[in-house]
Amino acid sequence: MEKLRYERPIIKKMNTGLMNKFGTRTEYEPVTHIESVPVKSLIKEYGSPLFVLSEKQIRRNYQNATRIFKTRYPKVQFAWSYKTNYMNAVCQVFHQEGSWAEVVSGFEYEKALGNGVPGNKIIFNGPDKTDEQLVAAARNNSLIHIDHYDELYSLIKLSEEHNLRPRVAIRINMDTGIYPKWDRFGFNFENGQAWNAITRIINSTNLDLVGLHCHIGTFMLAPSAYGIAAKNLCELTWSIKEKYNKVLEYIDLGGGFPSENTLKGAYLPGSDTVPSIDQFADAITDVILGYGFKQEDLPLLILETGRALIDDAGFLLGSVLATKRLSDGRRATVLDFGVNSLFTAFWYDHKVSPAQAFGNHTEEMVLYGPLCMNIDIVRESITMPLLEKGNHLVVHKVGAYNMTQWMQFITLRPNIVMIDTDNKTHVIRKAETLEYLELNEQVPEHLKQNPLK
Amino acid sequence: MKLKKNIATSGEGFIFNPGTGDSFSTNEIGAEIITLLKEEKSVAEITQLISGKYDVDASQFENDLDDFAAQLKDYSILE
Amino acid sequence: MTTPKKKIVIAVTGLNAIDSPGPGVAVIRAIRECEDFEARIIGLSYESLEPGLYMHDLVDKTYQIPYPSAGTDTLLGRLTHIHDIEELDLIIPNFDAELFNFIKLRNKLKEMGIATFLPDLDQFEARDKVKLYEFGKKHDLMVPADKIIFQAKELVETAKELDFPLVVKGKFYDAIIANTLEQAEKAFYKLQAKWGLPIIVQEFINGTEINIAALGDGEGNTISVIPMRKLYITDKGKAWAGITLDDDRYIDLAKKFIKATKWRGGCELEIMQTADGKPYIMEVNPRFPAWIYLTAAAGQNQPASLVKMAMGEKVEPFTDYEVGKIFVRYAWDLITDISEFQQISGTGEL
């Protein structure tokens, strides 16, 4: 006789308060496939944990965002934010779609060059650019976005010394009514610092002011804040034309559009509350189009959208290492990935789905990572079907920041695979090995003897 | 392992502890174990019966049963 | 021969008729009293001890639904399941925190054949506590000055601008009056822990509190307005007893509000009437208040009118109501059995 499917026995106290289940229906659907590739076979072939990216989804996101902006405004250019995910394969998908590169360090700058991005299509942002990097960027005709006065004066000096004419913009910070106000980057709009910097650049013989840049924050939930930012940049652009008869080529509104992840502490899930890209596009383009520029003077609108274009194209697959009961009676599930791989677990209550069919019963649990560290928590509280050792899980919307901010801590970082548009899988970054990690280590001669041997 | 004698169970997997006023729900296997406990079956007998009927090996089940029993005790359902 | 009255299947939330009551039971009572149609009432509950669950003469069947924080997908899944069994005609949600989800799902529900009679998202958000001051300025309605803050240290500046006492309010619920900076900080942290950020700090307006229940048709017309003054309140500030008033200023104010917002559905305006006769709008609740049965008792059955409009009927605005009608709320120990509690807790249905 064939045996019946087993499920471990559970008992739940009927709560007079919070309820976790509604009859025999649970809110979780198993996610057995990414695109049309079975989770089971992905893990079998590439191991667990495993990052999976969907090329199809990345392209869909990009095409959708460009369509939304281009149907509202005639001149739009996206620049891929390298820090969000600088796996070369990912960058190349964006470049193939027509995206420029937006980098914030010499390392990222070289990566963009290595990916074949022409220098004049690289935007160099951030407070950290060495003299050598500034000279190289100027020679390549890249767009250098100046962050502070020290950088402005270095660049003036360097361009005189090397006889260069760098194309520059300044980064501007401002009060758009949101919290926290990002005033640590760039020049302030309200107190006139930005205008002073603009004047200084225009009066310099070597710098060519071609645009204005701002980046008002991250995971922004208020489209109206972008409207304010666009208005301020338009105002400066207009004044520059009035006062110096100079027409700027572009305004760059930076990044910051949110993905549908749910921020910790939020009451409603992100999928319901996050504004759509259409709403941001309306807020921005209404302002620029309504500002009164002549058609030929309309600036190119540059966007450095990162998270919103990649987050939902990334998945983290993993496995249950153990289940246990904590001293207060709560169920705890230990997974083979933690905050080391899933860095964004610090900010989000990630959606986690089981990757196999399950029974009707659910329990509330903590999801722990495998690190021997108390902070290693994937979800503080989540209602899931009964999980057992060896079960697989899928974490959703992990495409942004994880593959760049992950930590090589205690254990090695896993494979990243990309599922292409024909549903073929490719490893785009191999799992790390001990050898790889020790490649740059050096042990002084006198420490090479180990007496325990 | 001994069930308190006044514990009331219903067919749908509901358990009522008249001593404390608490109600509980269990899944099918949980309900089955409680029925077996009512019949005063031993741990060995329960393990044999369940692992014979369901797709689980005896050691895994023993582990789960231990955990289940700890909870029953916690909820004052066991003596 | 009389034609049989059509039976409308109406799902209602907010069955928590407890010390800080939800409006659901009162809404159902008003609907049941209307003789123009018959209703089958489906209760939608969040918890297994909401008293309405056990009032079988008012509620025909109850289903548990997921908490608002689970999101619209989960809610829609559950409602689809309930609709498969019950063939719902109409849903009347009665909780502030769930309205966002129901408004978002409005079109999907309509496609399924389930009517709602709710404000648009824009209308709903314009009266949000966080934006009420702006809203008042725009429509020439008096609203106390406020500041939206994200950090406790902003209280220092805010107190300078607005002066003590201040009213410190949570994003969704709760308001605490603070007389000192210390009290304000304490209130800030308490409300932040409960409802998250931001926190609203409002100018304190001294006066007489008036509550107005109003119903708009969504095109700017006011179908009904009933002003009420609380005669006695509980320590939670909830009405224990109240009386209908006759004062055209309140009626005009409600009409002005509904005209400006083209409000669709029920709402409650919380007014503070100052000694010099200025009516400040303190808060706009985007749903019926818990005392809504008083509107039916006074001759303007707002819940029943909402049902009719939701079902596509044209409803003429009411003109009269009985002034001096009083409600006195009372507690009643309803008796049920463990099996009913187990049933709703275990299966999510009763």
Side-chain angles (χ1 to χ4, degrees), chain C residues 147-159:
Chain C
K147 285 219 40 159
I148 314 300
I149 64 170
F150 290 86
Q151 285 176 295
K153 71 176 185 205
E154 292 177 75
L155 285 166
V156 180
E157 276 301 305
T158 310

Side-chain angles (χ1 to χ4, degrees), chain A residues 305-323:
Chain A
T305 312
R307 190 196 317 267
L309 298 183
I310 185 92
D311 223 6
D312 67 352
F315 303 84
L316 177 57
L317 317 186
S319 311
V320 175
L321 295 177
T323 67

